[in-house]
Amino acid sequence: MKTSTFPIIFLSLFLLNSMSFAQNNRLSDNNQIGWHAFFLNYKINQTFSFHGEFQWRRTGFITNPQQDLYRTGLNIKLHQNAVARVGYLFADTYSYGQIPLNSLGMEFPEHRTYQMLTLTNPIGRFQITYRFMLEQRWIGSFSSKTLDKPDKYNYLNRARNMVRIDYPLNGKIITNGTHYLAAYDEILIGFGKNVNQNVFDQNRIGLLTGYRFSDLLRIEGGYFNQIVQLGRLVEGKNVFQGNKGYIINTYFNF
């Protein structure tokens, strides 16, 4: 055997051992989910518009609560293909799955401010959307299960990056009376001094079909996959949620 082959063999054994260790050093919690989201956009003038949003997130597809989310914001049109938004969010996250997000297995609130930039780029019949978001999060925590309200809030930063592709099935662009397909991927990364066990927070994938009824109403839905890594260890192991199911988005524009 040639001497030059030893580094390759050593590297291969190292990678196999690392992969085996990574698999053995994690716990999995799989859930079936159904997300129902309602978006409202109210145009104030050519530059500003108001954003309102409610998301009803469930496990067991629809039977058990996962999270209720309320978001508001002010949109600022910077360019025909560029919109910025600043806003506030409140979320109520429930105890769900075999390994809950909260270490005490309790429902907890979250307050959040955020800044977002959305860029759209049409390429032929495809419309590519890039969305960048920064979030400042205050997450409620409990020192005891006997408490009714959180006795402290932990501050976290998070960055989000989403790429989405839309494709009209009848016509060259998505307009009134258009059926379309869409696919997107979004990664969420935590950063800052209070990030504990990891910087990776979530990854979300959606494969959708939709229909634009009019300038007022658009509805889309399809397959949704959410991977969540808990910010704490359980039994000395990282915990990954594999949440799979469907998502339905309803958009209202005034």
Side-chain angles (χ1 to χ4, degrees):
M1 182 181 292
K2 295 183 179 180
T3 306
S4 59
T5 61
F6 280 101
I8 298 175
I9 295 175
F10 176 80
L11 179 60
S12 300
L13 292 174
F14 174 78
L15 290 174
L16 288 173
N17 183 67
S18 299
M19 292 172 63
S20 176
F21 174 79
Q23 292 295 329
N24 294 329
N25 198 43
R26 66 171 58 179
L27 298 173
S28 297
D29 182 16
N30 299 315
N31 301 283
Q32 297 174 327
I33 59 174
W35 284 20
H36 313 79
F38 303 88
F39 304 92
L40 167 70
N41 190 73
Y42 179 80
K43 185 176 180 180
I44 301 171
N45 54 38
Q46 294 298 322
T47 302
F48 298 101
S49 60
F50 170 79
H51 174 85
E53 177 181 336
F54 170 66
Q55 296 198 27
W56 192 61
R57 299 172 174 177
R58 312 288 286 181
T59 61
F61 291 123
I62 198 171
T63 55
N64 303 309
Q66 182 189 24
Q67 187 180 63
D68 295 330
L69 183 149
Y70 309 83
R71 189 184 343 241
T72 62
L74 179 67
N75 295 321
I76 307 168
K77 188 174 182 179
L78 306 175
H79 181 269
Q80 180 180 353
N81 297 325
V83 176
R85 180 190 301 164
V86 293
Y88 165 79
L89 176 148
F90 173 78
D92 218 359
T93 302
Y94 298 86
S95 177
Y96 67 90
Q98 298 297 316
I99 307 175
L101 297 178
N102 182 279
S103 60
L104 296 177
M106 300 178 68
E107 173 187 345
F108 63 90
E110 177 182 348
H111 299 274
R112 191 186 307 172
T113 56
Y114 68 93
Q115 305 80 42
M116 187 174 79
L117 177 64
T118 302
L119 306 174
T120 57
N121 181 29
I123 303 177
R125 295 177 64 177
F126 293 93
Q127 177 167 290
I128 316 297
T129 301
Y130 307 93
R131 191 181 74 181
F132 309 93
M133 187 184 299
L134 291 175
E135 297 176 321
Q136 301 79 44
R137 311 171 66 200
W138 291 266
I139 301 175
S141 64
F142 303 81
S143 58
S144 170
K145 293 193 70 171
T146 61
L147 297 175
D148 295 328
K149 297 181 180 180
D151 52 349
K152 66 176 180 177
Y153 281 83
N154 298 320
Y155 176 75
L156 294 171
N157 292 296
R158 189 165 67 183
R160 303 171 58 163
N161 185 16
M162 185 191 77
V163 178
R164 171 171 169 147
I165 302 175
D166 290 79
Y167 182 80
L169 295 177
N170 55 312
K172 295 183 179 180
I173 61 173
I174 298 176
T175 185
N176 296 343
T178 302
H179 295 272
Y180 63 90
L181 300 176
Y184 67 86
D185 183 87
E186 182 177 22
I187 186 169
L188 295 79
I189 299 294
F191 66 94
K193 64 179 182 179
N194 290 329
V195 174
N196 294 324
Q197 298 301 325
N198 61 79
V199 295
F200 172 77
D201 183 81
Q202 293 184 41
N203 192 77
R204 300 175 180 178
I205 295 174
L207 301 174
L208 312 173
T209 181
Y211 183 75
R212 176 169 163 171
F213 293 87
S214 65
D215 293 339
L216 172 65
L217 177 64
R218 176 167 62 93
I219 299 177
E220 63 185 24
Y223 172 77
F224 182 67
N225 184 313
Q226 179 195 34
I227 299 173
V228 181
Q229 183 175 6
L230 270 63
R232 59 187 176 89
L233 299 179
V234 176
E235 301 174 356
K237 298 181 179 181
N238 288 301
V239 180
F240 287 84
Q241 289 184 354
N243 302 325
K244 300 177 182 179
Y246 68 88
I247 187 169
I248 300 174
N249 299 323
T250 304
Y251 300 86
F252 298 96
N253 289 286
F254 296 96

